[in-house]
């Protein structure tokens, strides 16, 4: 039996300090993501607690931190609107079990094969929908349901805001929160020991209290009041095809986001690398428990994970302790949430949504890999216009088609020989994507001439091209009364 080395006092001190930093980063994000998802704020804290105390203990990744993520906000909001809050727990639990199954089947590494452009496009689309939706919360207004309606309603939102004192007050709080988040990195290092989201929300809360501003605030019921164990009627929802599609979307997108986060976190430290299949199982176990409690789905979150590494964490103890601090806060100080203005949380999420849009990377990508840039933009637009699942599917389809196009290079050379025959040489990969060009070349060949067709340079000849060549050969011989000499090819 192999014994793990005991946690050294120096490691414990480092992990304790790091856990407090991660707790302060996670607290406003847990609450903000829950509110933006259309569920009670405590459910976000509950997911953060499970992500720390349970998922944090499981093997997989040592330093990345799990909890409710802005990347799933759009999907969760749509699921709650369509299927109801009661179905959220069943959907999350089923998605977690699916993640466990995928990890057990060792499918974790397959998520690393997803095109980066599709992932960036997915995150950009989420960011755009998140921003457009939270701009309404920024002005204490109710957001439309679809992404297009949110974008189309923005001019009207501006007009309504400038004519309402309450809306202007809320907007001022939200804009002030965003300003603090943007300017915080430029402040002295001693000031920046306080996480920017916490400082921004605390400043907005203090301003609201000092000036007695009339704006919407977080509604609090306590952890015990929001835990909702799924019943038989809720389980019956899994017979709905729409619910099963949502389960699949939850599982795939949460898994992709977690494993991409793991790859990014591994580049930030020199400790043990992530075991992707074990991490997928850990995420699945966490989501299964979150679903059983009626909480939000979880993913590994790059913001908290990076804060954990940068704060000097050395072992998984830091992420477990951060879950303990969330539990103590939710149990002992739940009323503290009721003084937080909703506009401040909306400002935090607008800032988070903006960071999901890879604006700086798009121009260089367009210059060097224009096709990948088009896939990124098409995926983002599809997420906004349709929904997250369909948008990602479109992005994956475009990525596959681009890869097929890039790998199907076919060189066709026609040689008019002195003996009156024509030589046609094919080299590369002959796939259906290159079939129009191939047939155009062959059909322009003169009739009544012997054609030597050399296929030895082909690395691949798919069924469509093989059938087209055989059909053309038969027709050419019949019409032109000339023999086509085909060089055998082992493809």
């Amino acid at each position: 039996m192999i014994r793990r080395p005991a946690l050294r006092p120096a490691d414990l001190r480092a992990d304790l300090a790091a856990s407090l930093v991660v707790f302060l980063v996670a607290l406003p994000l847990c609450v903000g993501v829950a509110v933006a998802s259309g569920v009670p704020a405590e459910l976000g804290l509950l997911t953060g607690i499970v992500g720390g105390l349970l998922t944090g203990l499981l093997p997989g990744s040592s330093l990345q931190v799990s909890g409710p993520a802005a990347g799933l906000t759009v999907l969760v909001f749509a699921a709650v609107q369509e299927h109801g809050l009661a179905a959220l727990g069943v959907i999350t639990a089923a998605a977690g079990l699916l993640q466990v199954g995928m990890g057990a089947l060792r499918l974790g590494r397959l998520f690393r094969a997803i095109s980066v452009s599709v992932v960036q496009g997915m995150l950009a689309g989420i960011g755009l929908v998140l921003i457009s939706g939270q701009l309404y919360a920024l002005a204490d207004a109710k957001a439309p349901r679809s992404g297009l309606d949110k974008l189309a309603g923005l001019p009207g939102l501006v007009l309504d805001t400038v004519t309402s004192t309450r809306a202007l007050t809320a907007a001022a709080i939200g804009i002030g929160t965003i300003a603090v988040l943007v300017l915080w990195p430029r402040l002295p290092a001693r000031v920046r020991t306080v996480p920017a989201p916490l400082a921004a929300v605390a400043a907005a809360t203090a301003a609201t209290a000092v000036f007695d501003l009339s704006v919407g605030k977080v509604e609090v019921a306590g952890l015990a009041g929001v835990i909702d164990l799924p019943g038989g009627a809720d389980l019956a929802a899994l017979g709905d095809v729409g619910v099963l599609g949502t389960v699949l979307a939850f599982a795939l997108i949460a898994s992709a986001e977690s494993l991409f986060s793991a790859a990014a976190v591994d580049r930030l430290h020199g400790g043990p690398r992530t075991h992707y299949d074990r991490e997928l199982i850990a995420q699945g176990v966490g989501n299964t428990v979150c679903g059983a409690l009626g909480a939000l789905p979880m993913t590994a979150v790059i913001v908290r994970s990076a804060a954990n590494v940068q704060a000097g964490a050395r072992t998984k103890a830091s992420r477990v302790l951060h879950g303990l601090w969330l539990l103590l806060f939710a149990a002992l100080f739940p009323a503290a949430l009721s003084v937080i203005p909703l506009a401040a949380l909306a400002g935090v999420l607008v800032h988070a949504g903006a960071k999901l849009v890879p604006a700086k990377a798009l121009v260089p990508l367009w210059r060097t890999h224009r096709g990948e840039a088009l896939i990124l933009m098409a995926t983002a637009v599809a997420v906004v216009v349709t929904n997250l699942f369909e948008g990602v599917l479109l992005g994956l389809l475009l990525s596959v088609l681009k890869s097929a196009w890039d790998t199907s290079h076919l060189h066709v050379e026609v040689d008019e020989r002195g003996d009156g025959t024509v030589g046609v040489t094919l080299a590369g990969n002959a796939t259906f994507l290159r079939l129009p060009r191939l047939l155009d070349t062959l059909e322009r060949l003169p009739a009544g001439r012997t054609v030597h067709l050399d296929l030895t340079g082909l690395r691949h000849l798919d069924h469509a091209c093989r059938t087209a060549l055989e059909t053309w050969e038969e027709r050419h011989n019949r019409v032109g009364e000339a023999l086509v000499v085909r060089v055998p090819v082992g493809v």
Side-chain angles (χ1 to χ4, degrees):
M1 180 177 178
I2 300 176
R3 293 188 176 181
R4 298 179 182 272
L7 186 64
R8 297 178 299 177
D11 291 341
L12 182 58
R13 286 194 297 270
D15 289 334
L16 179 61
S19 71
L20 291 171
V21 173
V22 178
F23 161 70
L24 294 175
V25 172
L27 180 60
L29 292 177
C30 286
V31 176
V33 168
V35 172
S37 301
V39 304
E42 292 89 346
L43 292 184
L45 289 174
L46 189 56
T47 298
I49 292 167
V50 174
L53 295 181
L54 177 59
T55 306
L57 278 174
L58 297 176
S61 175
S62 59
L63 296 182
Q64 81 168 350
V65 184
S66 299
L72 285 179
T73 300
V74 175
L75 191 58
V76 173
F77 181 82
V80 171
Q81 293 295 311
E82 185 173 353
H83 306 297
L85 181 58
L88 179 61
V90 173
I91 293 171
T92 301
L97 292 174
L98 184 56
Q99 287 180 296
V100 172
M102 290 190 295
L105 293 173
R106 305 178 67 85
L107 300 179
R109 293 184 179 182
L110 294 181
F111 284 89
R112 303 180 72 182
I114 298 176
S115 167
V116 175
S117 297
V118 175
V119 176
Q120 289 182 323
M122 175 190 76
L123 294 176
I126 290 171
L128 292 173
V129 176
L130 187 59
I131 292 170
S132 60
Q134 291 306 301
L135 287 176
Y136 289 86
L138 203 72
D140 264 357
K142 185 177 180 180
R145 291 186 60 175
S146 73
L148 275 180
D149 288 342
K150 290 173 183 175
L151 292 174
L154 289 179
L157 175 66
V158 173
L159 292 176
D160 292 340
T161 301
V162 297
T163 57
S164 168
T165 302
R166 180 183 174 91
L168 278 175
T169 303
I173 292 173
I175 293 171
T177 303
I178 296 172
V180 171
L181 291 169
V182 172
L183 296 175
W184 201 254
R186 303 180 183 181
L187 297 179
R190 287 183 299 178
V191 177
R192 287 187 279 111
T193 55
V194 180
L198 182 68
V201 172
T205 302
T208 302
V210 169
F211 296 104
D212 193 23
L213 302 178
S214 177
V215 293
K217 298 182 178 67
V218 176
E219 297 180 2
V220 180
L223 283 181
V226 296
I227 293 177
D228 184 18
L229 304 179
D234 300 323
L235 293 174
L238 293 175
D240 187 328
V241 176
V243 171
L244 291 178
T246 304
V247 169
L248 182 62
F250 270 41
L252 294 180
I253 293 171
S255 300
E257 188 168 346
S258 294
L259 298 182
F260 276 109
S261 171
V265 174
D266 281 350
R267 291 194 291 268
L268 299 177
H269 67 89
R273 305 293 92 180
T274 297
H275 189 293
Y276 286 87
D277 296 320
R278 291 176 183 172
E279 179 63 17
L280 189 54
I281 291 175
Q283 294 293 324
V285 171
N287 272 321
T288 302
V289 173
C290 284
L293 297 174
L296 288 172
M298 75 167 62
T299 73
V301 186
I302 187 63
V303 174
R304 288 167 230 182
S305 303
N308 190 37
V309 175
Q310 292 163 3
R314 299 182 182 179
T315 72
K316 62 176 64 177
S318 62
R319 59 187 191 175
V320 176
L321 286 172
H322 118 276
L324 177 61
W325 308 143
L326 286 174
L327 175 60
L328 291 175
F329 179 86
L332 300 178
F333 309 107
L337 298 177
S338 63
V339 299
I340 299 176
L342 292 173
L345 296 178
V348 171
L349 289 170
V350 167
H351 183 260
K355 292 172 70 174
L356 293 176
V357 181
K360 293 182 179 179
L362 187 57
V363 173
L365 185 64
W366 178 264
R367 291 172 180 168
T368 55
H369 301 284
R370 189 159 296 182
E372 295 294 333
L374 289 173
I375 291 174
L376 189 158
M377 290 186 288
T379 304
V381 171
V383 168
V384 173
V385 173
T386 58
N387 56 58
L388 189 56
F389 190 51
E390 293 178 7
V392 172
L393 285 181
L394 176 64
L396 290 173
L397 176 61
L398 292 176
S399 183
V400 170
L401 290 176
K402 179 183 177 298
S403 297
W405 179 264
D406 290 341
T407 57
S408 64
H409 290 297
L410 178 64
H411 178 69
V412 183
E413 182 178 345
V414 178
D415 178 25
E416 294 275 355
R417 299 174 180 175
D419 59 0
T421 63
V422 179
V424 179
T425 302
L426 304 183
N429 297 299
T431 69
F432 69 96
L433 294 173
R434 304 293 178 174
L435 198 53
R437 177 192 171 197
L438 175 60
L439 291 177
D440 286 344
T441 301
L442 294 176
E443 289 170 358
R444 285 197 299 267
L445 296 176
R449 304 269 293 277
T450 299
V451 176
H452 296 267
L453 187 61
D454 185 357
L455 307 180
T456 55
L458 286 179
R459 293 188 297 272
H460 175 69
L461 178 65
D462 73 1
H463 178 70
C465 284
R466 185 183 294 275
T467 302
L469 286 174
E470 291 172 350
T471 302
W472 172 83
E473 175 188 1
E474 180 182 350
R475 186 174 65 252
H476 184 85
N477 288 343
R478 184 174 62 249
V479 176
E481 297 181 348
L483 174 66
V484 175
V485 179
R486 303 184 65 183
V487 179
V489 58
V491 292

